[in-house]
């Protein structure tokens, strides 16, 4: 493990010098197989393999836990924002990701009367339909198989759109958010939670060190989960008004790295990069687990895993909403205000 520790020190030194966690991955776009959209997308480069992500969601439909502490915490935090709103949202659309947890934890919040559950996986939608609440205390629910990148929802038809841990796998996040805005009625609310760039930082470091040691280099094996630098600007670009953004960080403990990977599979959060190495060598996997334990292991023998969650709130424009004054319309300067405060303090 001496060589692993030396490699780890070199990696952390590079991080300190250059201000980023991992070397950046560059993707070519020479063909459809390399992630170029040839289907009328204007040559748009695709980073994520959506068909592979659909298969991940199919697998997660049957591997997903009945209750998941992390998923439930994120869904609960997202739904808490509905309690801050005075208005009701009779029609709502819930998109992919952890939509099942959102539906289970909704508990009458938001005044929702009609709920549409949508996912790109037919198996996931089937599971949601089979688990339909027979007590009759939930809103009228409809189920749709659809892709967030091509939202099959009529324009101006929804009062509320919720996306919990799903949009970070879209190739065009601003475009997907624009479609969500257009599907909202005026003064409709958009709520989203996506995984941020600090997610799984321990696993990324361990995997990089193991590949440097065992294979002499690194490959884009870890997906760059939603490297969003300015989520507020992202909401504004998508045309939402009154944007709100906050970030939470969750640390989950696992017995070992293999248990962490199984949890990611059950969540449908494994690698879906177009330019990925589909083969993980056994000795590299074992080295990753060992390095993870040696670098980040806790006193009780478990390992921590970081999940950074970015929460976003935005509204579709409506005349009744508060608006900022026109630039230059102020009648008093900040310097005058500062002078007044200085005088009052003296």
């Amino acid at each position: 493990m001496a060589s692993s520790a030396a490699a780890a020190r070199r990696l952390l030194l590079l991080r300190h010098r250059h201000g980023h966690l991992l070397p950046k991955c560059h993707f070519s776009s020479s063909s459809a197989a390399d992630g170029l959209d040839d289907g009328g997308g204007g040559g748009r480069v695709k980073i994520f393999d959506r068909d592979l992500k659909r298969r991940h969601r199919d697998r997660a439909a049957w591997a997903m836990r009945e209750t998941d502490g992390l998923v439930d915490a994120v869904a609960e935090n997202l739904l808490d924002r509905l309690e801050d709103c005075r208005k009701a949202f009779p029609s709502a659309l819930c998109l992919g990701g952890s939509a099942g947890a959102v539906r289970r934890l909704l508990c009458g919040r938001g005044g929702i009367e009609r709920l549409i559950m949508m996912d790109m996986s037919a198996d996931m939608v089937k599971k949601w339909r089979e688990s339909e609440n027979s007590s009759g205390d939930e809103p009228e629910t409809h189920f749709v198989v659809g892709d967030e990148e091509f939202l099959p929802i009529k324009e101006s038809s929804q009062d509320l759109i919720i996306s919990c841990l799903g949009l970070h796998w879209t190739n065009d996040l601003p475009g997907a958010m624009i479609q969500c805005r257009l599907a909202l009625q005026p003064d409709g609310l958009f709520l989203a939670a996506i995984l941020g760039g600090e997610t799984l930082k321990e696993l990324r470091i361990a995997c990089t060190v193991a590949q440097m040691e065992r294979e002499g280099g690194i490959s884009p094996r870890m997906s760059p989960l939603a490297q969003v630098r300015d989520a507020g600007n992202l909401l504004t670009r998508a045309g939402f008004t009154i944007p709100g953004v906050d970030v939470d960080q969750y640390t989950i403990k696992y017995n070992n790295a293999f248990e962490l990977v199984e949890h990611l599979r059950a969540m449908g959060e494994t690698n879906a990069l177009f330019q990925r190495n589909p083969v993980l060598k056994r000795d590299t996997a074992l080295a990753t687990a060992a390095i993870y334990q040696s670098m980040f292991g806790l006193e009780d023998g478990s390992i921590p895993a970081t999940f950074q969650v970015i929460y976003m709130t935005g509204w579709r424009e409506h005349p009744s909403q508060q608006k900022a004054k026109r630039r230059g319309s102020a009648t008093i300067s900040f310097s005058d205000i500062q002078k007044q405060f200085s005088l009052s303090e003296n």
Side-chain angles (χ1 to χ4, degrees):
M1 296 300 296
S3 59
S4 299
R9 286 194 296 271
R10 290 196 299 271
L11 178 66
L12 294 176
L13 179 61
L14 286 172
R15 176 191 179 190
H16 176 73
R17 287 179 177 174
H18 299 290
H20 56 260
L21 183 62
L22 294 176
K24 294 181 179 179
C25 297
H26 299 277
F27 304 96
S28 63
S29 55
S30 58
S31 66
D34 289 334
L36 184 64
D37 184 4
D38 291 329
R44 179 170 59 89
V45 175
K46 289 185 176 182
I47 298 176
F48 301 118
D49 186 339
R50 295 291 289 175
D51 186 60
L52 176 61
K53 181 49 57 182
R54 177 187 54 77
R55 297 198 298 272
H56 288 171
R57 298 288 295 166
D58 287 342
R59 179 178 62 190
W62 310 111
M64 191 173 290
R65 306 170 182 177
E66 289 298 324
T67 58
D68 186 309
L70 171 63
V71 170
D72 287 0
V74 175
E76 187 69 40
N77 201 342
L78 187 63
L79 291 173
D80 277 346
R81 287 152 175 77
L82 290 177
E83 299 182 9
D84 298 330
C85 301
R86 295 182 179 180
K87 66 174 293 183
F89 304 94
S91 61
L93 169 65
C94 196
L95 299 176
S98 302
V102 170
R103 177 191 177 200
R104 174 165 46 83
L105 298 171
L106 196 56
C107 300
R109 282 178 283 197
I112 297 173
E113 300 173 0
R114 182 175 181 271
L115 177 65
I116 299 176
M117 301 281 292
M118 193 192 89
D119 196 277
M120 65 191 303
S121 164
D123 287 354
M124 186 67 73
V125 172
K126 180 181 178 182
K127 182 176 181 179
W128 290 340
R129 183 181 289 110
E130 291 175 350
S131 63
E132 189 168 1
N133 190 348
S134 59
S135 63
D137 59 352
E138 65 174 21
E140 174 190 347
T141 307
H142 303 267
F143 302 90
V144 175
V145 178
D147 193 332
E148 297 97 330
E149 292 192 347
F150 306 97
L151 202 62
I153 302 297
K154 184 180 178 181
E155 186 173 343
S156 303
S157 63
Q158 303 299 312
D159 299 297
L160 170 67
I161 293 180
I162 303 174
S163 175
C164 185
L165 301 180
L167 284 177
H168 51 266
W169 289 110
T170 57
N171 287 293
D172 181 9
L173 182 55
M177 292 171 62
I178 289 172
Q179 292 185 62
C180 289
R181 177 179 59 82
L182 294 175
L184 286 170
Q185 295 185 20
D187 204 30
L189 176 61
F190 171 74
L191 293 177
I194 60 177
L195 292 177
E198 290 295 301
T199 299
L200 301 177
K201 60 183 179 181
E202 302 91 351
L203 181 58
R204 283 187 282 147
I205 290 174
C207 188
T208 299
V209 173
Q211 287 186 316
M212 290 169 60
E213 178 187 310
R214 303 287 174 159
E215 302 177 17
I218 63 172
S219 62
R221 194 179 300 280
M222 300 297 298
S223 295
L225 296 171
Q227 297 283 355
V228 179
R229 298 297 180 188
D230 188 349
N233 184 50
L234 183 62
L235 285 163
T236 304
R237 285 174 57 197
F240 289 106
T241 60
I242 321 177
V245 177
D246 57 288
V247 180
D248 276 352
Q249 189 162 290
Y250 303 85
T251 302
I252 311 298
K253 293 167 64 174
Y254 297 90
N255 291 324
N256 51 59
F258 300 110
E259 184 179 64
L260 165 59
V261 172
E262 285 303 315
H263 186 201
L264 295 176
R265 286 176 177 168
M267 292 173 64
E269 292 292 339
T270 45
N271 188 5
L273 288 173
F274 258 113
Q275 292 208 350
R276 63 191 177 277
N277 187 345
V279 179
L280 176 61
K281 296 180 180 179
R282 183 174 182 273
D283 59 344
T284 303
L286 294 174
T288 299
I291 292 168
Y292 201 135
Q293 184 69 48
S294 65
M295 292 184 66
F296 304 104
L298 304 176
E299 291 182 358
D300 60 1
S302 64
I303 58 170
T306 299
F307 292 85
Q308 183 190 52
V309 181
I310 302 173
Y311 295 95
M312 298 186 289
T313 306
W315 297 80
R316 185 164 184 181
E317 188 175 8
H318 188 268
S320 65
Q321 294 171 357
Q322 294 181 344
K323 294 180 177 62
K325 291 290 186 180
R326 180 178 55 84
R327 187 178 181 88
S329 62
T331 58
I332 186 170
S333 67
F334 281 105
S335 59
D336 293 337
I337 295 175
Q338 187 177 11
K339 290 176 182 178
Q340 292 179 9
F341 276 104
S342 300
L343 291 173
S344 62
E345 289 176 358
N346 294 331

